[in-house]
Amino acid sequence: MSKLYRSLLWSGIVTFGIAACGDDVTVTQPPPPPTVVPGIRSVTVAPDGVSIQVGATVQMTAAVTTDPGAAAPTIAWSSSDATKATVGATTGLVTGVAVGAVGIRATATSGTSTGSGVATVNVVTSQVTPATVSIASITNTAGVAVPLGNVAGQIQVNVNLERGGERVQRLELLVDGVVRGSQTFASALAEGSAPEAAIEVISLPWNTAAFNASTGVADVLNGSRTVSVRLITQQNQQGTATPSVQITLNNANFVAVTVTITNGSTATDGTGLLWQTGDATATALPVFYSAGTNTINQMVFSAPGVNSKTVNAPGPFTASWAKATTVGNGGSAGIENAAWAVTANSTVNNNPGPTGTSASVRYDNNAPTIPTIVLNPNNRQGGWVNDAVSFTTINSGTNPNGMITAASTDGGVGGITYAAKAALGNSAA
């Protein structure tokens, strides 16, 4: 037994203990492989190497890469030297405290896995002229100043921007503290396309009458509003706002009306204008800028050549007219109108409410009239005609020598094309 054991040791293949003759043999299994838990792979912090002044701020960001299936990471921020720069523990906003370089660390945690990344922030004392912005004027789209106590529709808030030595990133138009418009600058423009002392005039457009196209709810109601502009720079991510300007909005309530033509066709007339034929449907959307409760009782739709239609609450407020519908007042079927539009009149709180009219369309559901043709007016010899004979206006008081009725003229889709053939030779008039 001893000889056998020594032989196996020498060969290096002993993998289990050999008990004495007659004893049990115990086999030791290898340990199972460790369980791999998805976690953090890498953390990258930016911007790296940025310089800020004492008292200025910069927003840091952390890009975290995780294994598939890992839980969403949380980020904790820390500064290597809070005497030089501090950082918000959850925000990543760095504030310069004293001159020097400091490491800003982002530590990401996903389940039991953690990882971190570091970026360097340099705090400097070089004097940089701060950027400033001020509201110069408020005008309409034509550049004419609007009365601040009676503002409506599309306006322009014009500001004077002095970039100083800062890197200007964005201007934000604030109305009662809510961003209603902005302009973001390309890096080249922000860093030095104009001298530091130059004043740049920037116009920020704002449609004071903007509303939700689905619900009709106005973005901003009438009344006194506070307007200001906030300047965002790389050195000041929180921004600096201009002194506010008080305005009074006075947009008129109205009904937004749209018209669609379906189940028909389109055609271009002789002058190149597009006409439509088919079923007409109008939709009315009341828009209120005045505060308070506005209960819509009904909506009355009217348009040239068709019967008016009344739709009672709760809506939806739509009206339709079929192709070649019979017009009101006992008229004939069909419409031919180069500026056909639908008007909607509302009743609100049991009183006459706002109205609105759709954009016009060239609408033609009227077939051309069959003309009356006289081949030989006044029974001319041989049926020949001369320059005294007109091809139109038959039997009119001014020209009794016409050949075809003017009623055949059609301004929309269809119509009559006049053509004539002449023979060469002599003939009696």
Side-chain angles (χ1 to χ4, degrees), residues 251-267:
N251 286 296
N253 300 332
F254 77 107
V255 178
V257 185
T258 56
V259 170
T260 56
I261 310 298
T262 58
N263 300 323
S265 60
T266 61

PDB file of all heavy atoms in Angstrom, residues 251-267:
ATOM      1  N   ASN A 251     -55.537  89.123 -25.893  1.00  0.00           N
ATOM      2  CA  ASN A 251     -55.925  88.388 -27.095  1.00  0.00           C
ATOM      3  C   ASN A 251     -57.432  88.148 -27.098  1.00  0.00           C
ATOM      4  O   ASN A 251     -58.039  87.893 -26.051  1.00  0.00           O
ATOM      5  CB  ASN A 251     -55.199  87.053 -27.153  1.00  0.00           C
ATOM      6  CG  ASN A 251     -53.732  87.204 -27.530  1.00  0.00           C
ATOM      7  OD1 ASN A 251     -53.410  87.635 -28.623  1.00  0.00           O
ATOM      8  ND2 ASN A 251     -52.837  86.866 -26.596  1.00  0.00           N
ATOM      9  N   ALA A 252     -58.038  88.246 -28.274  1.00  0.00           N
ATOM     10  CA  ALA A 252     -59.482  88.069 -28.407  1.00  0.00           C
ATOM     11  C   ALA A 252     -59.834  86.589 -28.502  1.00  0.00           C
ATOM     12  O   ALA A 252     -59.172  85.821 -29.231  1.00  0.00           O
ATOM     13  CB  ALA A 252     -59.985  88.806 -29.646  1.00  0.00           C
ATOM     14  N   ASN A 253     -60.865  86.181 -27.761  1.00  0.00           N
ATOM     15  CA  ASN A 253     -61.386  84.823 -27.910  1.00  0.00           C
ATOM     16  C   ASN A 253     -61.870  84.622 -29.342  1.00  0.00           C
ATOM     17  O   ASN A 253     -62.396  85.558 -29.972  1.00  0.00           O
ATOM     18  CB  ASN A 253     -62.542  84.580 -26.942  1.00  0.00           C
ATOM     19  CG  ASN A 253     -62.136  84.741 -25.489  1.00  0.00           C
ATOM     20  OD1 ASN A 253     -60.981  84.534 -25.128  1.00  0.00           O
ATOM     21  ND2 ASN A 253     -63.088  85.123 -24.646  1.00  0.00           N
ATOM     22  N   PHE A 254     -61.723  83.431 -29.871  1.00  0.00           N
ATOM     23  CA  PHE A 254     -62.178  83.184 -31.238  1.00  0.00           C
ATOM     24  C   PHE A 254     -62.461  81.704 -31.417  1.00  0.00           C
ATOM     25  O   PHE A 254     -62.220  80.893 -30.513  1.00  0.00           O
ATOM     26  CB  PHE A 254     -61.137  83.668 -32.252  1.00  0.00           C
ATOM     27  CG  PHE A 254     -59.950  82.748 -32.410  1.00  0.00           C
ATOM     28  CD1 PHE A 254     -59.798  81.964 -33.546  1.00  0.00           C
ATOM     29  CD2 PHE A 254     -58.977  82.667 -31.422  1.00  0.00           C
ATOM     30  CE1 PHE A 254     -58.716  81.123 -33.691  1.00  0.00           C
ATOM     31  CE2 PHE A 254     -57.885  81.834 -31.560  1.00  0.00           C
ATOM     32  CZ  PHE A 254     -57.749  81.062 -32.704  1.00  0.00           C
ATOM     33  N   VAL A 255     -62.970  81.371 -32.590  1.00  0.00           N
ATOM     34  CA  VAL A 255     -63.228  79.975 -32.945  1.00  0.00           C
ATOM     35  C   VAL A 255     -62.317  79.614 -34.111  1.00  0.00           C
ATOM     36  O   VAL A 255     -62.358  80.268 -35.167  1.00  0.00           O
ATOM     37  CB  VAL A 255     -64.705  79.741 -33.325  1.00  0.00           C
ATOM     38  CG1 VAL A 255     -64.917  78.289 -33.738  1.00  0.00           C
ATOM     39  CG2 VAL A 255     -65.624  80.106 -32.167  1.00  0.00           C
ATOM     40  N   ALA A 256     -61.483  78.620 -33.920  1.00  0.00           N
ATOM     41  CA  ALA A 256     -60.611  78.144 -34.996  1.00  0.00           C
ATOM     42  C   ALA A 256     -61.405  77.170 -35.864  1.00  0.00           C
ATOM     43  O   ALA A 256     -61.866  76.135 -35.375  1.00  0.00           O
ATOM     44  CB  ALA A 256     -59.378  77.463 -34.411  1.00  0.00           C
ATOM     45  N   VAL A 257     -61.580  77.518 -37.140  1.00  0.00           N
ATOM     46  CA  VAL A 257     -62.399  76.715 -38.053  1.00  0.00           C
ATOM     47  C   VAL A 257     -61.508  76.156 -39.156  1.00  0.00           C
ATOM     48  O   VAL A 257     -60.733  76.899 -39.777  1.00  0.00           O
ATOM     49  CB  VAL A 257     -63.530  77.552 -38.676  1.00  0.00           C
ATOM     50  CG1 VAL A 257     -64.443  76.658 -39.520  1.00  0.00           C
ATOM     51  CG2 VAL A 257     -64.334  78.262 -37.600  1.00  0.00           C
ATOM     52  N   THR A 258     -61.618  74.860 -39.384  1.00  0.00           N
ATOM     53  CA  THR A 258     -60.889  74.215 -40.470  1.00  0.00           C
ATOM     54  C   THR A 258     -61.880  73.515 -41.399  1.00  0.00           C
ATOM     55  O   THR A 258     -62.933  73.051 -40.964  1.00  0.00           O
ATOM     56  CB  THR A 258     -59.883  73.179 -39.933  1.00  0.00           C
ATOM     57  OG1 THR A 258     -60.573  72.231 -39.110  1.00  0.00           O
ATOM     58  CG2 THR A 258     -58.800  73.855 -39.106  1.00  0.00           C
ATOM     59  N   VAL A 259     -61.535  73.449 -42.678  1.00  0.00           N
ATOM     60  CA  VAL A 259     -62.391  72.817 -43.686  1.00  0.00           C
ATOM     61  C   VAL A 259     -61.577  71.765 -44.427  1.00  0.00           C
ATOM     62  O   VAL A 259     -60.435  72.022 -44.829  1.00  0.00           O
ATOM     63  CB  VAL A 259     -62.941  73.855 -44.686  1.00  0.00           C
ATOM     64  CG1 VAL A 259     -63.614  73.162 -45.863  1.00  0.00           C
ATOM     65  CG2 VAL A 259     -63.923  74.783 -44.000  1.00  0.00           C
ATOM     66  N   THR A 260     -62.161  70.583 -44.590  1.00  0.00           N
ATOM     67  CA  THR A 260     -61.533  69.534 -45.389  1.00  0.00           C
ATOM     68  C   THR A 260     -62.519  69.078 -46.460  1.00  0.00           C
ATOM     69  O   THR A 260     -63.729  69.026 -46.227  1.00  0.00           O
ATOM     70  CB  THR A 260     -61.134  68.329 -44.519  1.00  0.00           C
ATOM     71  OG1 THR A 260     -62.279  67.840 -43.814  1.00  0.00           O
ATOM     72  CG2 THR A 260     -60.061  68.721 -43.517  1.00  0.00           C
ATOM     73  N   ILE A 261     -61.999  68.765 -47.654  1.00  0.00           N
ATOM     74  CA  ILE A 261     -62.800  68.262 -48.772  1.00  0.00           C
ATOM     75  C   ILE A 261     -62.380  66.824 -49.030  1.00  0.00           C
ATOM     76  O   ILE A 261     -61.203  66.545 -49.258  1.00  0.00           O
ATOM     77  CB  ILE A 261     -62.596  69.103 -50.049  1.00  0.00           C
ATOM     78  CG1 ILE A 261     -62.759  70.599 -49.749  1.00  0.00           C
ATOM     79  CG2 ILE A 261     -63.561  68.660 -51.128  1.00  0.00           C
ATOM     80  CD1 ILE A 261     -64.121  70.999 -49.263  1.00  0.00           C
ATOM     81  N   THR A 262     -63.347  65.897 -48.957  1.00  0.00           N
ATOM     82  CA  THR A 262     -63.048  64.475 -49.135  1.00  0.00           C
ATOM     83  C   THR A 262     -63.999  63.863 -50.158  1.00  0.00           C
ATOM     84  O   THR A 262     -64.981  64.482 -50.572  1.00  0.00           O
ATOM     85  CB  THR A 262     -63.171  63.722 -47.801  1.00  0.00           C
ATOM     86  OG1 THR A 262     -64.499  63.902 -47.281  1.00  0.00           O
ATOM     87  CG2 THR A 262     -62.155  64.250 -46.782  1.00  0.00           C
ATOM     88  N   ASN A 263     -63.691  62.621 -50.534  1.00  0.00           N
ATOM     89  CA  ASN A 263     -64.538  61.843 -51.452  1.00  0.00           C
ATOM     90  C   ASN A 263     -64.772  62.573 -52.772  1.00  0.00           C
ATOM     91  O   ASN A 263     -65.852  62.511 -53.343  1.00  0.00           O
ATOM     92  CB  ASN A 263     -65.892  61.518 -50.805  1.00  0.00           C
ATOM     93  CG  ASN A 263     -65.737  60.701 -49.543  1.00  0.00           C
ATOM     94  OD1 ASN A 263     -64.867  59.844 -49.463  1.00  0.00           O
ATOM     95  ND2 ASN A 263     -66.559  60.996 -48.544  1.00  0.00           N
ATOM     96  N   GLY A 264     -63.758  63.279 -53.225  1.00  0.00           N
ATOM     97  CA  GLY A 264     -63.895  64.012 -54.480  1.00  0.00           C
ATOM     98  C   GLY A 264     -62.602  63.980 -55.259  1.00  0.00           C
ATOM     99  O   GLY A 264     -61.862  63.005 -55.237  1.00  0.00           O
ATOM    100  N   SER A 265     -62.329  65.064 -55.951  1.00  0.00           N
ATOM    101  CA  SER A 265     -61.125  65.146 -56.765  1.00  0.00           C
ATOM    102  C   SER A 265     -60.692  66.599 -56.862  1.00  0.00           C
ATOM    103  O   SER A 265     -61.371  67.508 -56.377  1.00  0.00           O
ATOM    104  CB  SER A 265     -61.386  64.588 -58.169  1.00  0.00           C
ATOM    105  OG  SER A 265     -62.424  65.337 -58.805  1.00  0.00           O
ATOM    106  N   THR A 266     -59.545  66.802 -57.460  1.00  0.00           N
ATOM    107  CA  THR A 266     -59.030  68.154 -57.678  1.00  0.00           C
ATOM    108  C   THR A 266     -58.721  68.330 -59.154  1.00  0.00           C
ATOM    109  O   THR A 266     -58.507  67.358 -59.884  1.00  0.00           O
ATOM    110  CB  THR A 266     -57.763  68.402 -56.856  1.00  0.00           C
ATOM    111  OG1 THR A 266     -56.745  67.463 -57.261  1.00  0.00           O
ATOM    112  CG2 THR A 266     -58.030  68.248 -55.365  1.00  0.00           C
ATOM    113  N   ALA A 267     -58.703  69.581 -59.582  1.00  0.00           N
ATOM    114  CA  ALA A 267     -58.381  69.887 -60.977  1.00  0.00           C
ATOM    115  C   ALA A 267     -57.851  71.304 -61.042  1.00  0.00           C
ATOM    116  O   ALA A 267     -58.140  72.145 -60.179  1.00  0.00           O
ATOM    117  CB  ALA A 267     -59.607  69.728 -61.878  1.00  0.00           C
TER     118      ALA A 267
END
